[in-house]
Amino acid sequence: MVMEYNPKIPTLRPYIDPDNQGFWDGVREHRLVIQKCKDCGLVIHRPRPMCPRCLSTEREWTPSMGKGVIYAYVNVIYQNAGYPGIKAPYSVVVVEITEGVRILANLYDIEPEGVRIGTPVEICFDDIADDLTLPKFKRLNS
Amino acid sequence: MAIDSIKDKAAIVGIGVVDFSTDIGRTEWYTACQAIKLAAEEAGVNIDDIDGMVKSVDDGPDPTYTGKGLGIDNLLYHSENHWGTSAMMNAVHAVAGGLCNYCVYYQTAHRASGPEKCISDFLVAREFRDDSLDMVRYDYFSPFGLIGEPGYVAMMYRRYMHETGIKPEQLGWVPIVASENAARNTNAIFFDKSITIDDYMQSKLIADPIRELDCAPKVDGSIAIVITTPERAKALKQEPVIINSVASGYALEGQNYTSYTRDVITDLPEMENMAKELYRVGGMGPKDIKVAMLDDTFAPYVPMQLEALGFCGKGEAPAFIEGGDKIRVGGQLPVNPDGGEIGQGRFITTRIVEAVRQIRGTSTNQVANTDTVLVASGAGGPADGMICRKE
């Protein structure tokens, strides 16, 4: 475990609404699903009301393989530059998954000093509280 | 493409700057009124003749308070814009379109000591005293502990490092030159003396790769600017600074500081779009600009803007800033001769003030023969800017 949470300071919750509920429902069930336009097939993240390409409001949740590479990352070093409920240092990564969208999350098994752009990773899920599961990424095939 | 109706149709005729501080000891209401009073006096406009007021919705008391404080009995135009200095567009359109005659743009923000504004009710927002946190729009980041602007910008900068190969030893020249310029600027309260590359390299990494010295410090301040038409300006006290063009910029998949889903995240396409429009309307190009007032809220945006605004080619900015010679006064393109926000504190309207002073020839760090200045704001999000010129 490379993330250390302070149970006294609850992790910030996502604001779940009718546009993004499918994504967070999937995360709770340990499945990564991505919004897809039923009309033109565009895969979109983050979830939104309509397809930005064809403006269709017909949406579905398509399962993702959950594999990708680290596209960018930040190592929060100074506690006040991060969240007080997560012990610094910790990493936040943007991962470009093979379906072509980018997902922001934390890492499961890579320490901050070992993070590199281009590292292949795959999705995993961390039940960090009774009512909160977050997607994380770990080294591919680890 | 918009119509060209605003070209050279408005002018800045007065500026009012309340001394900056980290503990100003007065209300925002007080310093907003004070700045407007100073600006009107400098312009030679009676307070009663002010018939337009604009500001950013993010900062300071709105016109009902400032108008009340100043005894203003009627406004033909009032408007609050969002993001950067984009309310300047409202002022320009208002006077150029004849909606009002003397419009005041003002920014008042006591970020170092003052009231927290626009803040969510989350504990962490209070902890950070950061008025830019919006937990609803940023909730794809905040559960993962990416919270607050240094972290948001660090993500973009990491990718920029990867794409351009820029090294800390190169980016460091942005705060170094800012410190040199601030040390010359008697109004700048940070940096009594300039820093060195060693100082920069020892600066604390707060959200790696962002260092403490990459971030503009919080400050208390208040600035007002009087805008009217060039015709009316002839009867006033100051030599007018003509607003040659004003524009905003927007681009696909944008979100303040966090546009991580667009194809290329390091191009500042909002700035590119803004610049195209500024140059087109103004009939100018990057080579016509003598001084660049760039958004240095976070240092990595400076090289990104140099590329986006056409001052150098893609990927050339790291070499452009290295050593500082090209961006110092006397160099190819002096950037923020007042010390910028890194040197004066986080306060966007300082850029407009320095643009005015450069064109008037009254800067503390004057660039010889400045007749055009480009002002850019909103790096990493919806952009806005203007080209100012000598009459």
Side-chain angles (χ1 to χ4, degrees):
Chain A
M1 276 295 294
V2 294
M3 302 279 291
E4 197 178 316
Y5 296 95
N6 180 348
K8 289 183 191 151
I9 305 174
T11 303
L12 295 177
R13 265 49 180 173
Y15 181 84
I16 294 172
D17 63 21
D19 291 325
N20 67 22
Q21 184 164 6
F23 175 81
W24 291 107
D25 283 352
V27 167
R28 204 175 58 237
E29 295 156 11
H30 290 205
R31 294 184 297 116
L32 181 64
V33 296
I34 307 292
Q35 182 179 334
K36 186 178 178 185
C37 174
K38 271 187 175 175
D39 283 320
C40 79
L42 185 69
V43 177
I44 307 149
H45 190 73
R46 60 186 294 177
R48 60 193 73 182
M50 58 177 70
C51 172
R53 186 162 69 188
C54 74
L55 304 189
S56 168
T57 52
E58 294 298 313
R59 301 164 281 176
E60 63 183 345
W61 298 101
T62 187
S64 161
M65 299 279 287
K67 292 181 168 54
V69 296
I70 295 174
Y71 181 82
Y73 65 98
V74 178
N75 289 335
V76 176
I77 307 290
Y78 179 54
Q79 187 67 61
N80 283 354
Y83 182 66
I86 309 174
K87 193 177 175 207
Y90 62 91
S91 302
V92 185
V93 290
V94 171
V95 170
E96 189 164 281
I97 62 171
T98 45
E99 288 84 357
V101 299
R102 297 194 193 122
I103 293 177
L104 186 137
N106 300 117
L107 289 168
Y108 189 75
D109 63 350
I110 306 176
E111 298 286 347
E113 55 272 25
V115 187
R116 297 287 179 273
I117 287 175
T119 301
V121 289
E122 63 184 327
I123 198 87
C124 61
F125 296 91
D126 194 354
D127 301 312
I128 66 165
D130 289 343
D131 62 341
L132 183 64
T133 301
L134 291 178
K136 292 191 173 177
F137 285 94
K138 58 177 186 169
R139 282 186 198 281
L140 187 64
N141 300 325
S142 64
Chain B
M1 192 181 284
I3 56 172
D4 302 351
S5 61
I6 54 94
K7 183 184 177 186
D8 297 335
K9 293 285 170 53
I12 295 172
V13 293
I15 51 177
V17 183
V18 176
D19 287 344
F20 279 26
S21 168
T22 52
D23 187 11
I24 205 160
R26 284 160 276 165
T27 62
E28 290 191 342
W29 191 8
Y30 185 114
T31 63
C33 293
Q34 195 183 10
I36 294 169
K37 186 180 164 194
L38 289 170
E41 280 169 4
E42 205 223 29
V45 172
N46 292 323
I47 287 286
D48 291 340
D49 292 331
I50 291 171
D51 51 9
M53 285 181 131
V54 301
K55 64 184 277 291
S56 163
V57 72
D58 294 328
D59 288 325
D62 71 33
T64 63
Y65 287 90
T66 42
K68 198 182 291 169
L70 293 160
I72 289 173
D73 62 356
N74 189 17
L75 290 177
L76 297 172
Y77 185 79
H78 51 81
S79 177
E80 294 193 79
N81 209 321
H82 199 2
W83 300 320
T85 59
S86 51
M88 278 299 289
M89 289 191 299
N90 301 57
V92 168
H93 290 152
V95 299
L99 293 172
C100 67
N101 299 318
Y102 301 96
C103 189
V104 170
Y105 163 102
Y106 64 105
Q107 185 194 4
T108 302
H110 298 178
R111 285 207 176 84
S113 71
E116 299 161 29
K117 306 183 85 70
C118 307
I119 211 161
S120 83
D121 55 357
F122 282 87
L123 197 68
V124 67
R126 193 165 296 281
E127 169 85 10
F128 282 95
R129 303 171 63 83
D130 189 334
D131 61 11
S132 63
L133 291 175
D134 179 332
M135 293 302 161
V136 175
R137 280 181 296 136
Y138 289 83
D139 72 331
Y140 271 74
F141 315 132
S142 54
F144 305 100
L146 186 67
I147 193 159
E149 291 158 354
Y152 299 153
V153 178
M155 191 72 81
M156 319 273 283
Y157 176 42
R158 176 78 66 187
R159 188 69 200 180
Y160 187 72
M161 291 172 83
H162 178 77
E163 287 173 2
T164 63
I166 187 170
K167 295 176 176 61
E169 293 84 349
Q170 292 175 304
L171 184 71
W173 290 95
V174 171
I176 292 168
V177 174
S179 73
E180 294 168 359
N181 292 342
R184 286 191 195 96
N185 180 353
T186 46
N187 300 317
I189 63 170
F190 302 100
F191 299 109
D192 292 335
K193 61 187 181 66
S194 58
I195 59 166
T196 65
I197 193 70
D198 289 338
D199 296 329
Y200 178 77
M201 294 305 290
Q202 283 162 25
S203 173
K204 184 163 59 180
L205 278 165
I206 57 170
D208 183 7
I210 292 274
R211 288 165 197 273
E212 196 170 23
L213 278 170
D214 291 323
C215 306
K218 290 183 180 182
V219 76
D220 297 346
S222 183
I223 295 177
I225 290 167
V226 182
I227 299 109
T228 189
T229 59
E231 293 72 32
R232 284 195 189 85
K234 289 186 174 63
L236 300 177
K237 273 159 71 176
Q238 307 293 333
E239 180 193 349
V241 171
I242 305 294
I243 299 176
N244 170 248
S245 60
V246 63
S248 62
Y250 179 89
L252 203 59
E253 291 290 308
Q255 181 168 336
N256 262 341
Y257 299 111
T258 52
S259 308
Y260 305 146
T261 54
R262 56 175 52 142
D263 286 351
V264 179
I265 70 171
T266 53
D267 275 352
L268 304 184
E270 293 92 343
M271 281 279 178
E272 289 177 357
N273 288 340
M274 173 200 84
K276 266 182 222 157
E277 188 67 2
L278 280 183
Y279 295 141
R280 185 189 69 77
V281 171
M284 293 202 193
K287 289 195 167 51
D288 299 312
I289 304 300
K290 301 287 172 53
V291 174
M293 298 304 303
L294 303 185
D295 185 341
D296 67 340
T297 320
F298 296 96
Y301 283 140
V302 170
M304 291 184 202
Q305 280 169 95
L306 288 168
E307 295 175 8
L309 300 171
F311 294 121
C312 65
K314 289 278 180 214
E316 292 174 9
F320 195 93
I321 60 173
E322 187 169 9
D325 284 347
K326 287 197 169 78
I327 57 174
R328 286 191 177 99
V329 171
Q332 185 181 326
L333 180 76
V335 171
N336 300 355
D338 59 345
E341 290 189 76
I342 289 176
Q344 294 171 101
R346 186 162 181 183
F347 209 92
I348 45 180
T349 305
T350 53
R351 286 193 276 284
I352 301 174
V353 168
E354 178 65 5
V356 169
R357 288 177 174 157
Q358 284 290 339
I359 286 173
R360 287 179 179 173
T362 59
S363 171
T364 52
N365 198 16
Q366 184 64 41
V367 177
N369 306 315
T370 302
D371 51 9
T372 52
V373 181
L374 185 145
V375 182
S377 289
D384 72 274
M386 56 184 182
I387 297 173
C388 297
R389 70 167 178 83
K390 211 174 178 66
E391 192 175 29

